[in-house]
Amino acid sequence: MKTAKTVEEVRNLVKHCKAEGKSIGLVPTMGFLHKGHGSLIKKAREENDFVIVSDFVNPIQFGPNEDLESYPRDFDADCKLCESLGADLIFHPEPSEMYQNPHTTVDISLLSDGLCGSKRPGHFKGVCTVVSKLFNISKADRAYFGQKDAQQLAIIKKMVKDLNFDVEVIGCPIVREEDGLAMSSRNTYLNEAERKAALCLSKAIFAGKDAIHKGMKVCELQSLMSRIITCEPMAKIDYLSVVDLENLQPLEEIHEPVLVAMAVYIGKTRLIDNFFYEF
Ligand code: AMP
């Protein structure tokens, strides 16, 4: 496996791949990789000749009071995981390689207004900008994103359609710990008590999915899930929304396909989880 720190290095490798007719799969990440990222890399490996993993803590998707400085990083461990999963290239640029200020941004406002977008102003502008750059740098045929970040996935799909990027966006299921907690690099912030408390998210997710299956209405569903979360004294709901999976607009009645998404603070750590339901 190769590592690259500059856009030029990636471009040169990509040029060779394209000349040989190889397909390219891209897995964009912010590093501190776990099995959730691993599932994306595995799928990319199965479906492409050349697999690029980007490992970049993207500063412009963090708000001024967010955890950019403390965001966990372990590049050596990331390299080992990528290598063990058969990735061909890990792209690990410095922020100065990606952004020369002032720089162009890509914004998709409609789908960014609700859910995490309303709580993290500018976040999705940062995501769309970096992902657009990664698409252009990697010339990927396919790009892999986790359903864990459901709003991000919907936004990237819309951006690709609207801006005619020539890449297939592939959504991959949420990978969970054995006890149900969705894997996340931010889980490392949790102390032992918070780690236990964080199970209220997945408990609410599983109960919510079951309730929709049994025909529960939107407001009852939201109060059932909220109750499960607020039973946990360390938990504070940031949002809990029932929306259309594609346009992310709030639903008053359940219709397909529905996305139930939430962000919950466990102490100071903000965790997200979701499920979607197709009848
Ligand atoms: P991140 O490094 O957190 O920006 O995540 C990089 C990619 O991995 C995103 O597409 C995420 O949705 C995906 N991802 C993160 N955690 C998980 C998980 N538990 N299961 C599946 N995909 C995930």
Side-chain angles (χ1 to χ4, degrees):
M1 186 184 74
K2 294 191 166 64
T3 63
K5 287 187 82 67
T6 66
V7 173
E8 198 188 348
E9 286 169 273
V10 181
R11 283 243 153 99
N12 285 335
L13 288 163
V14 164
K15 212 184 278 174
H16 279 105
C17 286
K18 292 281 171 187
E20 289 169 7
K22 288 183 175 167
S23 61
I24 296 177
L26 170 71
V27 182
T29 82
M30 296 210 300
F32 208 69
L33 303 180
H34 49 67
K35 286 184 188 156
H37 300 110
S39 69
L40 274 55
I41 300 169
K42 274 188 205 156
K43 191 153 171 63
R45 179 68 289 161
E46 281 162 21
E47 298 180 351
N48 300 277
D49 299 316
F50 194 81
V51 174
I52 305 176
V53 178
S54 65
D55 186 313
F56 177 58
V57 182
N58 177 33
I60 67 164
Q61 71 185 66
F62 287 76
N65 299 316
E66 294 184 354
D67 56 343
L68 173 61
E69 295 308 324
S70 57
Y71 195 83
R73 293 159 167 90
D74 189 344
F75 185 59
D76 289 343
D78 291 350
C79 286
K80 281 190 191 126
L81 182 73
C82 287
E83 183 135 44
S84 73
L85 295 174
D88 297 291
L89 172 65
I90 182 160
F91 177 43
H92 184 55
E94 291 296 327
S96 56
E97 176 69 10
M98 293 297 275
Y99 302 113
Q100 287 88 44
N101 281 321
H103 61 81
T104 308
T105 54
V106 181
D107 199 358
I108 152 170
S109 43
L110 177 68
L111 299 187
S112 307
D113 285 348
L115 311 177
C116 286
S118 64
K119 303 290 177 177
R120 304 184 67 189
H123 170 68
F124 287 113
K125 196 201 283 192
V127 170
C128 287
T129 302
V130 79
V131 171
S132 302
K133 286 171 71 72
L134 292 169
F135 285 168
N136 284 330
I137 295 164
S138 67
K139 296 199 168 45
D141 298 281
R142 298 179 194 85
Y144 297 80
F145 294 87
Q147 179 64 37
K148 160 96 186 336
D149 297 85
Q151 185 173 18
Q152 170 174 283
L153 178 58
I155 286 175
I156 300 291
K157 281 186 175 165
K158 176 89 170 100
M159 180 186 82
V160 161
K161 197 167 164 213
D162 288 351
L163 299 185
N164 308 102
F165 279 107
D166 193 10
V167 58
E168 185 185 351
V169 174
I170 294 161
C172 303
I174 299 177
V175 177
R176 297 178 179 279
E177 303 283 359
E178 264 179 31
D179 60 7
L181 180 68
M183 289 191 180
S184 163
S185 307
R186 289 190 169 98
N187 291 349
T188 188
Y189 296 150
L190 303 170
N191 65 29
E192 204 178 322
E194 289 170 338
R195 173 66 183 74
K196 276 192 196 138
L199 286 180
C200 68
L201 280 91
S202 49
K203 270 191 209 150
I205 290 290
F206 300 145
K209 199 162 191 177
D210 190 47
I212 287 199
H213 186 64
K214 290 181 177 145
M216 192 178 267
K217 298 202 167 71
V218 170
C219 56
E220 291 165 2
L221 174 74
Q222 278 176 314
S223 56
L224 168 81
M225 292 178 68
S226 303
R227 267 201 315 277
I228 294 173
I229 295 164
T230 47
C231 267
E232 173 47 63
M234 284 185 188
K236 189 169 156 277
I237 297 175
D238 196 26
Y239 70 80
L240 197 170
S241 304
V242 180
V243 299
D244 180 285
L245 179 63
E246 272 150 35
N247 65 25
L248 304 183
Q249 296 307 301
L251 292 179
E252 294 193 352
E253 281 178 31
I254 306 276
H255 68 68
E256 95 176 274
V258 58
L259 169 69
V260 181
M262 64 194 184
V264 175
Y265 280 96
I266 303 292
K268 288 192 173 140
T269 305
R270 185 176 181 277
L271 300 176
I272 56 171
D273 203 344
N274 70 77
F275 68 93
F276 64 90
Y277 199 85
E278 286 168 302
F279 295 87

